[in-house]
């Protein structure tokens, strides 16, 4: 057992490994305790044992793991540089799993559990076919979250970045104020986002359903007042689709001025299917 007691203050960072030509091999138990951040920076971690994030933030660079990660409530496991491959083992997340830079690959041999949050603020999060991620919430504010497997979450928040991959994302609620659903590139296009409960789409920010993506709105949806758009566009990679489900009310609150126009759909390779009720309220066009 290697006990990392953390820093002396919550705003401090200390390093283990640090350089890219150094490796830390953990075949035992690494306990990250206390406050602040412990960072591997560009140093490589090879985990075949157990890593417990019990306090503060553990910040990883490149590496691999077929062991165990346990992320406690109120703590953060962050990936911020290089490529980290989770090839097997268990990822138990009751805190926050954050990708801020670099690439994180979650392969099909990984068992994911826990109701903690997944946050993608930069970089790339990849999940392979055969994976099922069950975070309590999924937040995308930058970078790319590319899911080939399934994601089931209570809450999806998008303020930027890209939600891509051919997999399925099912969320209880949606708060959408920026970013793109759908990703260009072979093997990345398509995919489905299904919202089972209430959705709020910010009318002051442009939002995109692109590259053959399907967005299913199966709960009442508010598109707030504003002069920005919901673009539904295939981009030469199939037809993108926005479905307003049966029994769902989609409320379009109109523009912010009488002489303004905003768009939904817009492109010829995008389709909006309304099986519910579309209320066009407010002013403008």
């Amino acid at each position: 057992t290697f006990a990392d007691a953390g820093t002396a203050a919550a705003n401090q960072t200390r390093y283990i490994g640090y350089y890219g030509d150094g490796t830390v091999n953990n075949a035992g138990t690494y306990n990250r305790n206390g406050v602040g951040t412990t960072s591997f920076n560009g140093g490589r971690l090879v985990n075949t044992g157990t890593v417990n994030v019990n306090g503060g933030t553990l910040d990883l660079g490149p590496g691999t793991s077929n062991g165990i990660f346990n992320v406690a409530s109120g703590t953060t496991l962050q990936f911020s540089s290089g490529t980290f491959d989770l090839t097997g083992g268990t990822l138990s997340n009751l805190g926050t799993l954050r990708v801020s830079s670099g690439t994180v690959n979650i392969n099909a041999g990984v068992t994911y559990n826990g109701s903690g949050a997944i946050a993608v603020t930069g970089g790339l999060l990849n999940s392979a076919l055969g994976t099922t991620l069950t975070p309590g919430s999924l937040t995308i504010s930058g970078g790319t979250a590319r899911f080939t497997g399934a994601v089931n979450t209570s809450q999806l928040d998008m303020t930027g970045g890209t939600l891509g991959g051919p997999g399925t994302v099912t969320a209880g609620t949606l708060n959408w104020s920026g970013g793109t659903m759908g990703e260009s590139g072979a093997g990345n296009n398509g995919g489905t986002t299904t919202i089972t409960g209430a959705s709020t789409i910010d009318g002051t920010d442009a939002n995109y359903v692109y590259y053959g993506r399907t967005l299913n709105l199966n709960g009442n949806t508010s598109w707030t007042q504003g002069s920005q758009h919901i673009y539904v566009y295939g981009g030469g990679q199939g037809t993108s689709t926005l479905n307003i489900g049966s029994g769902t009310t989609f409320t379009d609150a109109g523009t912010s001025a009488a002489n303004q126009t905003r768009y939904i759909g817009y492109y010829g390779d995008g389709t909006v299917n309304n099986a519910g009720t579309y209320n066009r309220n407010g002013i403008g066009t």
Side-chain angles (χ1 to χ4, degrees):
T1 297
F2 183 98
D4 170 1
T7 65
N11 62 348
Q12 292 178 341
T13 300
R14 67 177 182 176
Y15 300 94
I16 180 170
Y18 195 85
Y19 293 101
D21 56 355
T23 296
V24 177
N25 295 308
N26 175 47
T29 299
Y30 185 114
N31 289 329
R32 202 295 169 191
N33 302 327
V35 297
T37 299
T38 295
S39 177
F40 280 72
N41 196 46
R44 181 176 175 83
L45 171 66
V46 177
N47 177 48
T48 57
T50 298
V51 175
N52 296 315
V53 186
N54 299 322
T57 297
L58 181 63
D59 174 52
L60 300 182
T64 63
S65 176
N66 62 7
I68 297 170
F69 279 101
N70 293 314
V71 185
S73 177
T75 72
T76 299
L77 175 63
Q78 176 170 277
F79 298 88
S80 64
S81 67
T83 298
F84 200 100
D85 291 310
L86 294 157
T87 60
T90 300
L91 176 56
S92 179
N93 177 28
L94 295 175
T96 298
L97 173 68
R98 179 185 296 129
V99 180
S100 63
S101 188
T103 299
V104 178
N105 297 313
I106 302 177
N107 293 296
V110 176
T111 299
Y112 184 98
N113 59 66
S115 58
I118 292 179
V120 181
T121 63
L124 172 62
L125 172 62
N126 268 320
S127 73
L129 183 67
T131 59
T132 299
L133 306 182
T134 57
S137 63
L138 171 63
T139 300
I140 304 170
S141 58
T144 299
R146 180 185 298 149
F147 300 117
T148 304
V151 178
N152 299 315
T153 182
S154 297
Q155 179 178 328
L156 172 61
D157 296 318
M158 282 195 70
T159 61
T162 300
L163 172 58
T168 60
V169 176
T170 303
T173 62
L174 170 66
N175 292 294
W176 193 12
S177 60
T180 300
M181 294 190 189
E183 181 185 5
S184 179
N188 299 329
N189 56 300
T192 301
T193 306
T194 298
I195 311 301
T196 60
S199 296
T200 300
I201 303 174
D202 190 344
T204 66
D205 289 282
N207 300 294
Y208 302 84
V209 182
Y210 262 13
Y211 304 117
R213 190 87 184 175
T214 296
L215 172 59
N216 298 314
L217 299 175
N218 294 332
N220 291 340
T221 300
S222 172
W223 186 19
T224 66
Q225 188 179 69
S227 301
Q228 286 293 338
H229 320 298
I230 302 173
Y231 292 111
V232 185
Y233 172 47
Q237 296 180 210
T239 299
S240 292
T241 306
L242 171 61
N243 293 317
I244 301 168
S246 176
T248 295
T249 298
F250 184 99
T251 301
D252 170 0
T255 65
S256 53
N259 62 347
Q260 291 178 342
T261 299
R262 67 177 180 177
Y263 301 97
I264 181 169
Y266 194 85
Y267 294 100
D269 55 357
T271 296
V272 178
N273 295 308
N274 176 43
T277 299
Y278 186 114
N279 289 329
R280 202 293 172 194
N281 301 332
I283 56 177
T285 299

